[in-house]
Amino acid sequence: MGQGVHMQELPGIGKRYDIDLGSATQRVSVVVRRGDIRDLYVFTSKGDEPTAVLELSREQALKLGAVLTGTFFEG
Amino acid sequence: MGQGVHMQELPGIGKRYDIDLGSATQRVSVVVRRGDIRDLYVFTSKGDEPTAVLELSREQALKLGAVLTGTFFEG
């Protein structure tokens, strides 16, 4: 599963994961900050400016992740 | 984990999951379409228009989900 994901250490901040979507314009990045806050950056146009940025708590990131991976069940 | 996620059947399309981010303006929705395409909608302002929309293949959704849930490891 490593293919298509590029991880970069951000000293003092955490780790940044870039997920390749096989598109010149569409890209998504997640910054996992120390303290477990996860920032989701969505790029839908060329350039370095994200189209949308969301700050997710660990719990919110787990919920979104579960929906995306198909492991979410109504509790 | 069911709390904070609202699922709605979209007849003929698939299922829509709304993930509550505890904010009046920030929201994220995922539509899991038949055929396994997942559409990610990010809302960062009031109103019904998403700020960003991404179409993810199953594999791309799994990668993003793994990063968000902290289960991603370099392969």
Side-chain angles (χ1 to χ4, degrees):
Chain A
M1 194 140 86
Q3 221 180 12
V5 181
H6 178 252
M7 192 275 279
Q8 189 183 2
E9 291 277 356
L10 301 178
I13 299 171
K15 289 179 181 182
R16 169 180 164 167
Y17 296 85
D18 294 304
I19 294 132
D20 178 23
L21 300 180
S23 158
T25 53
Q26 299 206 335
R27 187 159 57 87
V28 60
S29 298
V30 177
V31 173
V32 181
R33 287 195 250 157
R34 298 181 185 182
D36 267 351
I37 295 290
R38 280 141 217 228
D39 298 310
L40 178 70
Y41 295 83
V42 178
F43 302 81
T44 56
S45 57
K46 276 191 178 169
D48 288 340
E49 279 300 306
T51 312
V53 182
L54 272 187
E55 183 180 309
L56 303 170
S57 68
R58 184 170 178 278
E59 195 186 351
Q60 289 165 348
L62 287 178
K63 282 176 190 165
L64 176 55
V67 169
L68 286 169
T69 56
T71 55
F72 177 80
F73 298 97
E74 307 285 316
Chain B
M1 194 140 85
Q3 221 179 9
V5 181
H6 178 253
M7 194 274 280
Q8 189 183 2
E9 291 276 355
L10 301 178
I13 298 172
K15 289 180 180 181
R16 170 181 163 164
Y17 296 84
D18 295 304
I19 295 134
D20 178 22
L21 301 181
S23 158
T25 52
Q26 299 206 334
R27 188 159 55 85
V28 61
S29 298
V30 177
V31 173
V32 181
R33 289 195 248 157
R34 298 182 185 178
D36 267 349
I37 294 291
R38 280 142 217 227
D39 298 310
L40 178 69
Y41 295 83
V42 178
F43 302 81
T44 56
S45 57
K46 275 191 179 171
D48 288 340
E49 280 298 309
T51 312
V53 182
L54 272 187
E55 183 179 310
L56 302 172
S57 69
R58 182 169 179 281
E59 194 187 352
Q60 290 165 348
L62 288 178
K63 281 176 190 163
L64 177 56
V67 169
L68 286 168
T69 57
T71 56
F72 177 79
F73 298 96
E74 307 283 315

